[in-house]
């Protein structure tokens, strides 16, 4: 059996290694357009910032290493230019010599990945305008920085690559501006959680131009003007386009394979395309979203590697199935860690689901143990069924651990209440006896049992201030004095029982505190005395961060750049 693989990075290299482990006699050939195989895409920004200093560390395998261990022939700088399913061959161009030849196959695996999205804009292709996807891209950017010593850069796009690159370019001392058409960074996160990231990015001196569209580039004064729609141009010494990625599926389209959303390759759960003996995996394929069951594009290394393994199993006579992706991801944003899994609130609502959320701010480990830090968790679930739909966490230590627990719970089909039952490891340096994930489960159980009723940030502006409801802030007088919601009176928790006569009977009571915990305790006191009570989800700290961020975004929209 002869297997030809188009693309030798995540899915392609994984499929090749798994094929060899299952079949010692198979002939396996990889064609990779770039000069490298099995390289670490996710590490590229860190090489630019000198966190990774040796370029050899970016390549997990060389063609020589791959052949020595797996007897797989990996031909780099070889571009597959056409597929011929009718005769089971592919056309290949040797980019070093220009030679064109055909290669036969019994089974063909397409792992072409995705290419950086490059809109047809004036000025794309200038020396100072870069994309970042391959090792060659990385070397080009690093070489430019070393030769030209740029002092400023504009990053177009606000996703994973852009934020990782921002951190590394700031480490090199560049002044940065991130331009993003949506009014937030990191679309996997809801806008309220993204506000926490905006605050961190600004704190490290990065300017934000959110809600702006890039219209082109123009050379000026040795640098480049980034032309914005309805705003003044931004001038910088260099620009990196990180607007997103597009499935690289021209070969599949020309060969007549069935295509799906955004031109991605349609595959079944065995990763088989519409053409017999052709499989596909990675960023180029359309998958099923595990939570909604809808078609999705999820460009992450974890799913790509799993898909490559599944293809190898099936080529070798197995029956492995891909059950879908849920978009679990984590990113370092300067000193913060941000992680997400499943649906965010906005996407759940777009999917037509009746959703509610729980926002809480637990410590990463026992409060009495030194060095504890807060994390902000947002858990999304379906009303009535309490089905766990997704989660986002922003914080410091322990964020990755908790998102992985929540991702596993979604995969296992647990409802949100069941989070309280998870038996999680505890020692003071690592967690609390009631882990943050358990705390989310306790909170949601209280909602399910009617012990707790919530109100949310979008209701702040619509709450009546006419005396028909009672608005109470149960923080200390000092905290209240540093800032509070309009119309809210201060009645500290620790004196509440002795001052119940100050809470008018017969009116709903809306409570707020710093994180939501003290106001929950106050809600139980008041409910025990017959009041109808609602607790603010997330607390004043969360409200203040989100509203301050929104004000800065609005101001930036007016002038073209956030100068905070």
């Amino acid at each position: 059996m002869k297997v030809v693989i188009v693309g030798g990075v995540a899915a392609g290299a994984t499929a090749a290694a798994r094929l060899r482990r299952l079949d010692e006699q198979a002939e396996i050939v990889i064609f990779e357009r770039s000069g490298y195989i099995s390289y670490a895409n996710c590490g590229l920004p860190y090489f630019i910032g000198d966190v990774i200093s040796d370029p050899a560390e970016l390549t997990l395998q060389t063609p020589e290493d791959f052949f020595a261990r797996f007897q797989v022939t990996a031909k780099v700088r070889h571009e597959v230019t056409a597929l011929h399913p009718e005769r089971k061959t592919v056309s290949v161009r040797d980019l070093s010599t220009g030679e064109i030849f055909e290669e036969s196959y019994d089974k063909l695996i397409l792992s072409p990945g995705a290419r950086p999205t490059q809109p047809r804009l004036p000025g794309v292709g200038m020396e100072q305008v870069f994309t970042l996807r391959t090792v060659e891209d990385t070397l080009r950017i690093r070489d430019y920085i070393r030769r030209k010593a740029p002092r400023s850069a504009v990053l177009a796009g606000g996703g994973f690559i852009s934020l990782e690159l921002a951190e590394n370019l700031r480490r090199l001392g560049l002044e940065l501006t991130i331009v993003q058409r949506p009014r937030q960074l990191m679309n996997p996160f809801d806008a309220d959680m993204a506000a926490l990231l905006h605050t961190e990015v600004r704190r490290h001196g990065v300017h934000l131009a959110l809600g702006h569209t890039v219209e082109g580039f123009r050379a000026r004064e040795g640098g480049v003007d980034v032309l914005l729609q309805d705003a003044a141009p931004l001038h910088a010494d260099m620009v990196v386009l990180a607007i997103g990625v597009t499935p690289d599926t021209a070969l599949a389209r020309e060969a007549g394979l069935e295509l799906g959303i955004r031109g991605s390759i349609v595959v079944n759960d065995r990763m088989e395309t519409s053409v017999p003996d052709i499989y596909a995996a990675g960023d180029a394929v359309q998958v099923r979203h595990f939570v909604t069951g809808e078609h999705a594009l999820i460009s992450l290394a974890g799913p790509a590697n799993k898909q490559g393994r599944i293809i190898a199993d099936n080529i070798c006579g197995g029956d492995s199935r891909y059950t879908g992706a849920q978009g679990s991801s984590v990113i370092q944003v300067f000193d913060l860690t941000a992680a997400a899994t499943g649906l965010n609130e906005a996407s759940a609502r777009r999917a037509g689901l009746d959703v509610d959320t729980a926002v809480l701010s637990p410590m990463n480990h026992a409060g009495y143990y030194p060095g504890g830090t807060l994390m902000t968790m947002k858990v999304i679930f379906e009303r009535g069924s309490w089905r766990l739909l997704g989660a986002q966490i922003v914080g410091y230590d322990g964020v990755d651990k908790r998102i992985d627990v929540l991702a596993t719970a979604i995969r296992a089909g647990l409802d949100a209440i069941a989070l309280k039952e998870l038996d999680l490891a505890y020692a003071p340096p690592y967690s609390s006896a009631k882990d943050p994930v358990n705390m989310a489960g306790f909170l949601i159980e209280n909602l399910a049992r009617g012990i707790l009723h919530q109100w949310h940030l979008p209701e702040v502006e619509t709450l009546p201030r006419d005396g028909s409801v009672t608005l109470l802030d149960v923080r200390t007088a000092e905290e209240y004095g540093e800032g509070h919601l309009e119309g809210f009176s201060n009645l500290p928790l620790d004196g509440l029982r002795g001052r119940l006569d100050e809470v008018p009977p017969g009116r709903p009571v809306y409570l707020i505190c710093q994180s939501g915990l003290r106001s929950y305790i106050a809600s139980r006191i008041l409910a025990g005395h017959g009041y109808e009570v609602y607790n603010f989800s997330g607390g004043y700290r969360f409200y203040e961060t989100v509203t301050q961020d929104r004000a800065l975004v609005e101001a930036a929209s007016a002038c073209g750049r956030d100068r905070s």
Side-chain angles (χ1 to χ4, degrees):
M1 176 176 64
K2 181 177 181 180
V3 181
V4 169
I5 302 172
V6 180
V9 188
T14 294
R18 177 70 169 172
L19 279 165
R20 177 57 73 223
R21 290 194 293 269
L22 297 178
D23 187 338
E24 185 64 19
Q25 279 70 49
E27 181 182 356
I28 306 167
V29 181
I30 297 173
F31 293 113
E32 167 56 42
R33 179 170 47 198
S34 77
Y36 303 86
I37 63 164
S38 191
Y39 59 82
N41 294 76
C42 301
L44 301 182
Y46 299 98
F47 179 70
I48 292 170
D50 282 334
V51 176
I52 300 171
S53 57
D54 184 355
E57 295 295 328
L58 295 175
T59 53
L60 307 179
Q61 295 278 352
T62 66
E64 295 76 19
D65 294 337
F66 215 54
F67 186 81
R69 177 162 295 183
F70 296 110
Q71 295 291 292
V72 169
T73 301
K75 297 186 177 182
V76 297
R77 294 193 50 75
H78 280 68
E79 180 180 17
V80 174
T81 58
L83 313 180
H84 311 292
E86 70 285 353
R87 58 181 184 268
K88 300 186 80 167
T89 66
V90 298
S91 294
V92 185
R93 177 186 291 112
D94 183 334
L95 298 178
S96 298
T97 66
E99 176 193 1
I100 298 176
F101 60 93
E102 284 198 10
E103 189 86 14
S104 64
Y105 66 83
D106 296 308
K107 305 289 183 181
L108 177 64
I109 302 173
L110 301 179
S111 178
R115 63 185 185 277
T117 302
Q118 285 190 277
R120 297 179 180 275
L121 298 175
V124 169
M126 293 171 53
E127 181 193 11
Q128 305 97 323
V129 179
F130 300 87
T131 59
L132 178 57
R133 184 66 177 173
T134 66
V135 174
E136 287 89 345
D137 294 335
T138 310
L139 296 175
R140 196 175 301 117
I141 293 172
R142 181 159 156 160
D143 176 66
Y144 183 85
I145 291 172
R146 290 185 169 181
R147 286 188 299 106
K148 301 289 188 176
R151 293 176 295 177
S152 61
V154 168
L155 307 180
F160 289 95
I161 290 294
S162 184
L163 285 187
E164 290 168 347
L165 191 54
E167 179 178 346
N168 283 281
L169 291 179
R170 282 297 291 158
R171 185 178 288 114
L172 298 178
L174 275 71
E175 181 180 350
L176 294 182
T177 300
I178 297 176
V179 182
Q180 166 89 325
R181 180 184 300 172
R183 297 168 70 87
Q184 68 168 83
L185 302 175
M186 294 298 295
N187 288 333
F189 292 80
D190 286 311
D192 50 9
M193 295 295 285
L196 305 173
L197 305 182
H198 298 171
T199 300
E200 179 72 0
V201 168
R202 293 187 189 103
R203 189 172 72 85
H204 283 83
V206 178
H207 306 292
L208 298 179
L210 303 177
H212 288 285
T213 300
V214 175
E215 290 195 321
F217 310 97
R218 180 178 59 209
R220 184 171 68 87
E221 297 176 359
V224 57
D225 278 344
V226 181
L227 308 178
L228 304 180
Q229 187 180 84
D230 301 324
L234 299 172
H235 186 74
D237 296 325
M238 62 181 292
V239 174
V240 181
L241 290 176
I243 297 171
V245 294
T246 302
D248 193 355
T249 55
L251 287 174
R253 182 177 63 252
E254 292 165 4
L257 276 65
E258 182 182 354
L259 302 182
I261 54 177
R262 291 181 61 196
S264 56
I265 302 171
V266 172
V267 293
N268 60 19
D269 60 357
R270 287 170 49 87
M271 308 310 296
E272 296 167 324
T273 72
S274 60
V275 174
D277 296 321
I278 300 181
Y279 299 77
D283 294 355
V285 304
Q286 172 180 287
V287 298
R288 184 179 75 87
H289 196 289
F290 183 80
V291 178
T292 65
E294 297 176 351
H295 295 149
L297 283 176
I298 298 180
S299 300
L300 294 168
N305 279 277
K306 295 180 183 70
Q307 293 159 15
R309 179 184 174 91
I310 287 168
I311 290 172
D313 287 352
N314 292 329
I315 286 176
C316 293
D319 188 25
S320 291
R321 307 277 174 161
Y322 188 65
T323 57
Q326 63 197 65
S328 300
S329 60
V330 64
I331 182 173
Q332 179 177 305
V333 182
F334 292 98
D335 297 331
L336 281 180
T337 299
T341 188
L343 300 176
N344 61 26
E345 181 182 1
S347 59
R349 294 192 186 281
R350 285 196 298 270
L353 298 171
D354 184 16
V355 302
D356 199 358
T357 65
V359 179
L360 59 159
S361 300
M363 295 281 286
N364 68 308
H365 61 56
Y368 61 82
Y369 189 85
T373 56
L374 288 173
M375 62 180 71
T376 302
M377 300 177 63
K378 182 175 184 178
V379 180
I380 298 95
F381 54 92
E382 188 173 36
R383 295 181 196 271
S385 72
W386 308 102
R387 180 164 67 114
L388 185 59
L389 301 175
Q392 300 151 60
I393 311 177
V394 177
Y396 300 91
D397 292 339
V399 168
D400 54 340
K401 168 184 173 179
R402 274 63 185 218
I403 207 68
D404 282 345
V405 172
L406 290 161
T408 303
I410 292 173
R411 182 65 55 160
L414 300 183
D415 63 35
I417 301 170
L419 298 176
K420 71 186 181 71
E421 303 291 350
L422 296 180
D423 195 347
L424 303 174
Y426 159 62
Y430 302 105
S431 185
S432 300
K434 291 183 284 190
D435 188 86
V437 174
N438 297 139
M439 293 297 295
F442 296 146
L443 192 161
I444 295 167
E445 180 193 33
N446 285 340
L447 293 170
R449 294 176 58 188
I451 293 171
L452 172 67
H453 301 282
Q454 296 187 117
W455 65 286
H456 295 281
L457 195 146
E459 300 172 67
V460 170
E461 300 303 324
T462 60
L463 274 181
R465 265 77 171 181
D466 58 3
S468 60
V469 300
T470 301
L471 309 177
L472 291 181
D473 186 324
V474 298
R475 296 176 296 160
T476 66
E478 291 77 15
E479 290 172 305
Y480 180 83
E482 291 174 357
H484 56 269
L485 290 177
E486 178 187 354
F488 276 70
S489 302
N490 186 218
L491 191 53
L493 169 64
D494 290 340
L496 179 59
R497 287 185 179 88
R499 298 174 61 181
L500 289 175
D501 58 337
E502 300 178 32
V503 185
R507 300 179 190 170
V509 181
Y510 287 79
L511 298 174
I512 191 169
C513 73
Q514 193 73 355
S515 69
L517 177 58
R518 282 175 287 174
S519 51
Y520 165 63
I521 297 169
S523 77
R524 297 309 304 148
I525 294 171
L526 291 168
H529 289 272
Y531 290 89
E532 177 187 345
V533 190
Y534 299 88
N535 188 33
F536 182 71
S537 178
Y540 186 81
R541 180 190 300 110
F542 185 64
Y543 161 82
E544 185 177 39
T545 299
V546 175
T547 53
Q548 287 181 355
D549 173 67
R550 287 177 179 171
L552 289 170
V553 171
E554 290 292 335
S557 295
C559 71
R561 189 171 78 166
D562 180 346
R563 296 186 180 277
S564 62

